[in-house]
Amino acid sequence: MRTSGNKATTQGGISLARIATIRATEATAFREARPKSEAAVGNGLKGFLDGVPMHWMNDWPTPFPILVEKAKGATITDIDGNKLADFCLGDTGSMFGHSPEPVAKAIRRQAKRGLTYMLPSEDVLPLGELLAARFGLPHWQIATTATDANRFALRVARAITNRPKILVFNGCYHGSVDETMVRLKDGKPINRPGLAGEFRDLTQSAQIVEFNDLPALEAALAEGDVACVITEPVLTNCCMVLPEPGFHEGLRAITRRHGTLLLIDETHTISTGPGGYTRRYNLEPDLFVLGKPVAGGVPASVWGMSEEVASRYNAYNLTREAGFSGMGTTLSANPLQFAAMRANLEEVMTQENYGHMEKLAGRLAAGLEASIARHNLPWHVQRVGARVEFICAPGPLKNGAEAEEAHAPKLEAAIHVALVNRGVLIAPFHNMMLVSPVTTRKQVDKLIAAFDDIAKDLVA
């Protein structure tokens, strides 16, 4: 990967002094537009640790969190009346828009019938077949978060292979599953920097190789102690890295050769199409996980397995000691999830809606690329379906190490606040933008114009 300037004095080809000036100016503008929000949350919310109900609310680059009055469609309105074209969409949790009407209707209906009772409701009757038809695996379970689903699926993988380790790709994201919180530093495995309260060496239970490196994958699996490879089809929670031609075919062939299961985590790449990246590109996972948007914003996740995995797991259960499996939470597979998920799969996650998303995402990516070229910035744009990301470094990126090197936190923070001041919201921890079924062409053009205005200011 080419570099984009001296990182001691620049980020993304922009001087740190210029970045600091712009961020200070934009922070002032942000405060002036939100007097009610600053009075309410500027000094923290009383009773909450660090002034927020979840710590990452303080990690947004804005001077203080935006206090939302309402969110509808692809628009967020704060308590000061500022409207934002929302391309963050809950970092994928609301990927199909805020409160899609079929989902909202299903929630209202189920709310009158009870929210949770550890028993199935009528909405579950078609759900298993819907999941099998949509994602291609025959056997499913429902959990509450993708973290839960990944954790449970990995337990199945270890149980039926009788192997202790998993393998992840450097730069991966699989929620807060402990074993995946590892990274490569100077080619050596380490615990992910910043882990709170972690006293274990997580690299003892996980192998780590770079994405797109099939020889390294082959060598790691040849040791015969890896139960499962868990991966996103595209690295998404860092600067986006797409698979090189032949990577997924090689990944599947190598895992099969060494008796290692393959888990595909589609929590972000569901942006690719109604069946995710897996169905669009004919991947053949043994295990499959989807969280975040599957129930239209209601916390829910699903995990599925192949016929072979299910058969092996049934055989394992006949031999294991009786007792709690360690898989499942009390609120998982509740009737509110069934109702919302059924409505979302049947009426929202449609080919027609994805066609709209894909078309506007293509327009967005082209507009950002044109702006980058116009201002001669050493940046690039990546897209996977309805998910678009601008990256403040040359590309394309090949692996997680290059993605980490491409990250430009000070520059990105300045851009994010400047976008908010121009009426646009994107994901706070990277430069991800999502197009929903209810996103309009006008909103896309607004984002492109705002980005171009900021780029012009950066290079002035």
Side-chain angles (χ1 to χ4, degrees):
M1 185 189 80
R2 296 174 288 130
T3 60
S4 54
N6 179 1
K7 281 211 164 187
T9 58
T10 68
Q11 281 191 3
I14 310 298
S15 75
L16 291 178
R18 182 64 179 157
I19 293 169
T21 297
I22 289 175
R23 187 166 188 190
T25 300
E26 297 294 345
T28 298
F30 179 90
R31 291 179 183 277
E32 289 176 349
R34 292 168 176 79
K36 291 182 182 179
S37 295
E38 183 165 21
V41 300
N43 294 315
L45 295 166
K46 292 182 180 180
F48 291 105
L49 178 66
D50 294 329
V52 287
M54 189 66 188
H55 64 84
W56 36 248
M57 292 178 179
N58 275 335
D59 294 337
W60 286 70
T62 52
F64 48 83
I66 295 169
L67 196 57
V68 177
E69 178 185 316
K70 64 179 179 180
K72 184 63 178 174
T75 301
I76 279 180
T77 305
D78 68 23
I79 66 168
D80 289 279
N82 300 295
K83 293 184 183 296
L84 297 171
D86 186 10
F87 290 86
C88 172
L89 295 170
D91 197 10
T92 310
S94 292
M95 192 181 89
F96 304 108
H98 297 288
S99 300
E101 184 52 38
V103 176
K105 181 180 178 181
I107 292 171
R108 290 192 296 268
R109 175 175 56 82
Q110 186 58 45
K112 299 176 182 178
R113 303 177 177 184
L115 300 178
T116 185
Y117 29 77
M118 293 185 70
L119 290 167
S121 63
E122 287 185 332
D123 282 316
V124 82
L125 297 179
L127 200 50
E129 292 180 350
L130 277 172
L131 291 169
R134 178 66 62 96
F135 302 115
L137 293 174
H139 299 284
W140 292 89
Q141 290 279 272
I142 294 176
T144 300
T145 68
T147 293
D148 290 338
N150 278 321
R151 187 179 291 120
F152 302 156
L154 290 174
R155 290 178 74 95
V156 169
R158 284 180 162 132
I160 67 175
T161 62
N162 196 31
R163 295 179 178 183
K165 292 185 178 182
I166 65 165
L167 184 142
V168 300
F169 293 107
N170 191 33
C172 69
Y173 176 71
H174 302 290
S176 55
V177 176
D178 288 349
E179 310 91 304
T180 69
M181 294 291 179
V182 291
R183 289 292 184 269
L184 290 176
K185 183 176 182 180
D186 300 325
K188 297 182 179 179
I190 60 168
N191 280 12
R192 182 172 176 169
L195 284 182
E198 184 54 73
F199 57 90
R200 297 166 296 171
D201 179 1
L202 297 174
T203 67
Q204 296 301 303
S205 58
Q207 293 266 30
I208 319 154
V209 301
E210 291 287 6
F211 197 72
N212 283 319
D213 191 341
L214 292 176
L217 175 69
E218 182 88 59
L221 297 190
E223 298 181 24
D225 57 356
V226 175
C228 185
V229 172
I230 175 173
T231 186
E232 304 170 90
V234 175
L235 291 187
T236 62
N237 212 52
C238 52
C239 296
M240 196 186 297
V241 179
L242 270 61
E244 295 181 339
F247 172 71
H248 277 295
E249 292 82 355
L251 168 62
R252 182 66 279 194
I254 292 169
T255 51
R256 282 178 171 152
R257 183 156 56 246
H258 294 286
T260 302
L261 301 178
L262 176 60
L263 190 165
I264 296 293
D265 181 351
E266 290 265 15
T267 297
H268 283 158
T269 51
I270 190 62
S271 61
T272 314
Y277 198 99
T278 294
R279 295 308 294 270
R280 184 161 184 174
Y281 293 101
N282 299 312
L283 306 187
E284 299 177 354
D286 301 296
L287 297 153
F288 178 104
V289 165
L290 172 60
K292 287 192 179 180
V294 70
V298 171
S301 64
V302 297
W303 55 290
M305 63 184 73
S306 68
E307 193 68 59
E308 179 186 356
V309 169
S311 177
R312 292 172 68 183
Y313 187 54
N314 286 336
Y316 166 82
N317 277 325
L318 292 175
T319 63
R320 74 176 175 90
E321 183 180 6
F324 179 47
S325 69
M327 295 186 292
T329 57
T330 305
L331 295 178
S332 291
N334 67 63
L336 186 64
Q337 292 174 328
F338 300 149
M341 197 181 304
R342 178 184 179 183
N344 201 49
L345 287 168
E346 289 182 337
E347 302 181 63
V348 181
M349 291 177 66
T350 64
Q351 189 63 58
E352 180 182 4
N353 278 341
Y354 268 96
H356 172 85
M357 294 156 68
E358 182 99 14
K359 182 178 179 180
L360 284 188
R363 181 180 182 86
L364 174 59
L368 297 178
E369 287 170 344
S371 180
I372 288 168
R374 182 162 47 250
H375 298 291
N376 198 30
L377 289 163
W379 305 355
H380 72 288
V381 175
Q382 290 286 26
R383 179 166 79 92
V384 55
R387 184 185 180 100
V388 180
E389 184 176 6
F390 65 86
I391 298 166
C392 301
L397 306 174
K398 182 178 181 179
N399 55 41
E402 290 189 359
E404 184 175 358
E405 180 67 19
H407 188 45
K410 293 181 180 180
L411 173 59
E412 292 164 9
I415 294 172
H416 286 221
V417 181
L419 285 171
V420 168
N421 288 336
R422 289 158 178 79
V424 176
L425 188 71
I426 69 173
F429 313 126
H430 37 78
N431 304 320
M432 185 274 294
M433 297 151 284
L434 281 166
V435 173
S436 76
V438 289
T439 301
T440 65
R441 178 170 172 168
K442 184 177 179 180
Q443 287 178 313
V444 167
D445 290 345
K446 182 176 185 176
L447 172 49
I448 293 169
F451 180 88
D452 190 71
D453 188 51
I454 296 163
K456 181 180 178 181
D457 199 14
L458 285 167
V459 302

